[in-house]
Amino acid sequence: MKVVSALAAVRHLLDTGVVRRGDTLLDSSSGIYAYALALACHRHGMRCHIVGSATVDRTLRTQLQILGATLEQMQPSDDLKLDQKRRVERIHEVLVEHPEYHWMRQYHDDIHYLGYRQIADRIRQATAAQPLTVVGGVGSGASTGALARYLREDLEHSTASTGPADIELVGVQPFGSVTFGSEHVSDPEIIIAGIGSSIPFGNVSHGMYDTLHWISFAAALAGSVDLLRRHAVFAGLSTGAGYLAALNERERSPQRTVLFIAPDTGHRYIDTVYARYREAARLADLAPHEVCDQRHLALPWSRMQWNRTDAAPPSVTRPRRPPGHRHRSRA
């Protein structure tokens, strides 16, 4: 999913002269973005340095090696929150050692929105004039936030009766994520890093979201297993969580077209998810707990109307920089 984002971001940096062919691009990743950035660097003749999560598996390591990327992988940890924090700390150390590297800042830079313009165009063409609900993991904010931004801009500027009549955005978060204030609720399994964060992300546009779903590991596992059984789609936890939320939104508003983002394949979840398929709950037995604020969040699944509130939770900050600004280690 992030390939379009990484390609557009790197292309923009080259076109604006911020980086040149042969430069090294640096970032942290738990998996998918590392692959996307490595592909973009390989395509444009650049070097790629990844500080990777402990969850990066042998398959991805091999792909990164083939693409010429350098991977520094964190040591295994029972706490993925600590893993994420250590990766960011290591990024700053690398920048001290190599101030000439360009930090892509996938968690903070709006440049990562650019690639979703073409996807928004395809969605607009495919959904005709029907009311549209977009469902997906919040993550770094780029995919869901960018799609909603571009689709709503098209709607405001369009005088023709093409494209969605209105666009709602539904974000999916894991428990324990600080992005929308659920850090006080711990998932007994893991935090699904691809859709949440244990550190503040700067490019999440909180005011884009109409509704939020917090989904636990166990509920996402059930979604992933059902998606494979029912639709032959072999996908990861982020997709399973998005699928679960999308089904619920469809039940609430059957007159709307519901589109959900499936960002990851299931290959790296064979042991942690699919080998445990017998534990999967029936989707008919799962329903979200409706809450009015984050104090009442409860496992395994909670839902809350966010109503495009622009204010982030107190723990979230929004560092910004103009697209194309070259990051140095002292920043």
Side-chain angles (χ1 to χ4, degrees):
M1 182 195 70
K2 292 188 176 180
V3 172
V4 293
S5 178
L7 283 172
V10 173
R11 181 73 264 169
H12 177 81
L13 292 173
L14 285 166
D15 289 345
T16 54
V18 176
V19 299
R20 298 180 299 274
R21 293 183 185 277
D23 283 356
T24 298
L25 303 185
L26 166 73
D27 218 334
S28 163
S29 174
S30 60
I32 297 174
Y33 182 76
Y35 180 60
L37 185 59
L39 282 172
C41 288
H42 180 69
R43 179 173 185 174
H44 292 294
M46 310 188 75
R47 296 182 178 88
C48 179
H49 189 95
I50 298 294
V51 178
S53 168
T55 60
V56 173
D57 61 13
R58 180 172 177 269
T59 300
L60 179 56
R61 288 198 300 271
T62 302
Q63 289 173 304
L64 294 177
Q65 290 168 0
I66 291 171
L67 294 169
T70 302
L71 171 68
E72 286 189 52
Q73 189 167 4
M74 295 293 101
Q75 292 299 311
S77 170
D78 293 332
D79 187 351
L80 283 185
K81 295 181 180 180
L82 179 61
D83 177 273
Q84 203 166 40
K85 180 175 181 290
R86 286 163 54 200
R87 281 188 278 135
V88 173
E89 290 173 347
R90 179 55 188 155
I91 287 285
H92 287 284
E93 292 173 356
V94 172
L95 287 169
V96 171
E97 299 163 6
H98 297 279
E100 75 278 9
Y101 286 8
H102 181 86
W103 183 14
M104 292 297 293
R105 290 167 55 90
Q106 66 151 322
Y107 303 137
H108 299 296
D109 198 328
D110 282 355
I111 194 174
H112 298 285
Y113 278 45
L114 299 175
Y116 293 100
R117 169 80 267 182
Q118 60 181 304
I119 298 178
D121 290 341
R122 292 180 63 183
I123 292 171
R124 177 177 51 78
Q125 293 166 9
T127 52
Q130 306 165 35
L132 176 66
T133 300
V134 177
V135 180
V138 176
S140 66
S143 58
T144 47
L147 288 177
R149 175 187 290 181
Y150 293 135
L151 287 168
R152 287 170 181 165
E153 285 177 356
D154 289 345
L155 186 62
E156 291 175 1
H157 299 145
S158 176
T159 57
S161 58
T162 58
D166 70 272
I167 296 96
E168 291 185 356
L169 180 60
V170 177
V172 182
Q173 284 271 274
F175 293 95
S177 173
V178 306
T179 309
F180 283 90
S182 69
E183 61 267 35
H184 61 290
V185 183
S186 298
D187 192 320
E189 292 280 356
I190 64 168
I191 181 175
I192 308 173
I195 58 175
S197 176
S198 62
I199 59 175
F201 283 173
N203 58 3
V204 175
S205 297
H206 293 78
M208 289 283 183
Y209 295 86
D210 296 282
T211 305
L212 289 170
H213 287 253
W214 286 268
I215 295 178
S216 69
F217 172 91
L221 182 151
S224 297
V225 170
D226 187 83
L227 188 59
L228 178 59
R229 284 175 168 161
R230 193 179 302 271
H231 299 287
V233 174
F234 179 55
L237 278 178
S238 297
T239 299
Y243 170 65
L244 199 62
L247 288 176
N248 183 260
E249 293 299 323
R250 174 67 173 174
E251 289 175 0
R252 294 170 183 274
S253 303
Q255 77 281 5
R256 301 183 66 85
T257 296
V258 178
L259 178 149
F260 84 94
I261 298 172
D264 55 349
T265 64
H267 298 86
R268 64 173 174 161
Y269 295 99
I270 289 293
D271 294 327
T272 55
V273 174
Y274 285 98
R276 298 171 59 178
Y277 70 93
R278 292 182 181 87
E279 302 173 26
R282 296 190 316 137
L283 295 201
D285 296 332
L286 293 173
H289 172 59
E290 295 289 330
V291 300
C292 57
D293 62 54
Q294 294 94 325
R295 292 174 299 173
H296 301 101
L297 292 174
L299 296 162
W301 182 6
S302 293
R303 180 181 184 272
M304 175 178 160
Q305 293 292 333
W306 187 256
N307 299 319
R308 305 190 189 183
T309 303
D310 194 45
S315 62
V316 178
T317 58
R318 296 185 179 185
R320 294 285 186 178
R321 66 189 180 112
H325 175 73
R326 193 178 182 89
H327 178 86
R328 297 292 184 181
S329 59
R330 62 177 179 272

